[in-house]
């Protein structure tokens, strides 16, 4: 995994990914907009700049309890994610498995990663 030339963190998790020259040619990897997760009256925001969750403490705790921190294959063949709060796709995937959760239109789009016949 490539690291940020400024902070040394994994590029997709750092807060300066949008201005890092090492990834300026990959706008699809640099744009992870903030999105919201809803369940009943509960509302949680995954914040793009801090790459963390804010909002309803109970829903956040439920999401976090299902994030293992380990690398996990999420699409076959072989597309995997680090199951951490910093990764919007991991948060979205976990929240999708929680009954009653819905999402804002800015939630991660899986279409580019789930095309039939594509090898990741």
């Amino acid at each position: 995994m490539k690291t940020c030339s400024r902070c040394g963190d994994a590029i997709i998790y750092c807060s300066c990914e949008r201005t890092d020259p090492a990834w300026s040619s990959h706008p699809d990897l640099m744009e992870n907009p903030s999105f919201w997760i809803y369940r009943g009256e509960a509302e949680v925001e995954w914040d793009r700049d801090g790459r963390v969750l804010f909002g309803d403490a109970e829903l956040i705790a439920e999401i976090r309890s299902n994030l293992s921190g380990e690398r996990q294959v999420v699409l076959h063949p072989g597309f995997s994610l680090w199951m951490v709060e910093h990764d919007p796709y991991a948060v979205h995937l976990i929240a999708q498995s929680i009954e009653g959760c819905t999402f804002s239109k800015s939630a991660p789009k899986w279409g580019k990663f789930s095309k039939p016949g594509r090898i990741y």
Side-chain angles (χ1 to χ4, degrees), residues 35-56:
F35 68 95
W36 288 260
I37 303 165
Y38 311 103
R39 183 177 64 181
E41 297 295 316
E43 184 175 312
V44 168
E45 175 188 5
W46 181 84
D47 177 62
R48 166 189 181 151
D49 293 323
R51 304 187 78 82
V52 295
L53 297 169
F54 293 104
D56 183 79

Side-chain angles (χ1 to χ4, degrees), residues 82-97:
W82 286 104
M83 300 306 288
V84 294
E85 185 174 343
H86 299 307
D87 191 308
Y89 286 90
V91 169
H92 184 253
L93 181 70
I94 292 300
Q96 283 181 312
S97 70

Side-chain angles (χ1 to χ4, degrees), residues 3-83:
T3 59
C4 175
S5 63
R6 293 189 180 146
C7 70
D9 197 359
I11 194 74
I12 63 170
Y13 303 142
C14 77
S15 60
C16 45
E17 80 281 358
R18 291 183 301 280
T19 58
D20 190 316
W23 282 79
S24 62
S25 62
H26 300 283
D28 57 323
L29 299 177
M30 295 186 299
E31 294 302 322
N32 296 302
S34 295
F35 68 95
W36 288 260
I37 303 165
Y38 311 103
R39 183 177 64 181
E41 297 295 316
E43 184 175 312
V44 168
E45 175 188 5
W46 181 84
D47 177 62
R48 166 189 181 151
D49 293 323
R51 304 187 78 82
V52 295
L53 297 169
F54 293 104
D56 183 79
E58 186 177 314
L59 183 52
I60 290 173
E62 192 168 349
I63 293 167
R64 285 178 178 160
S65 72
N66 289 289
L67 290 167
S68 66
E70 302 292 323
R71 194 164 185 84
Q72 177 180 327
V73 174
V74 296
L75 293 173
H76 292 281
F79 182 80
S80 60
L81 294 172
W82 286 104
M83 300 306 288

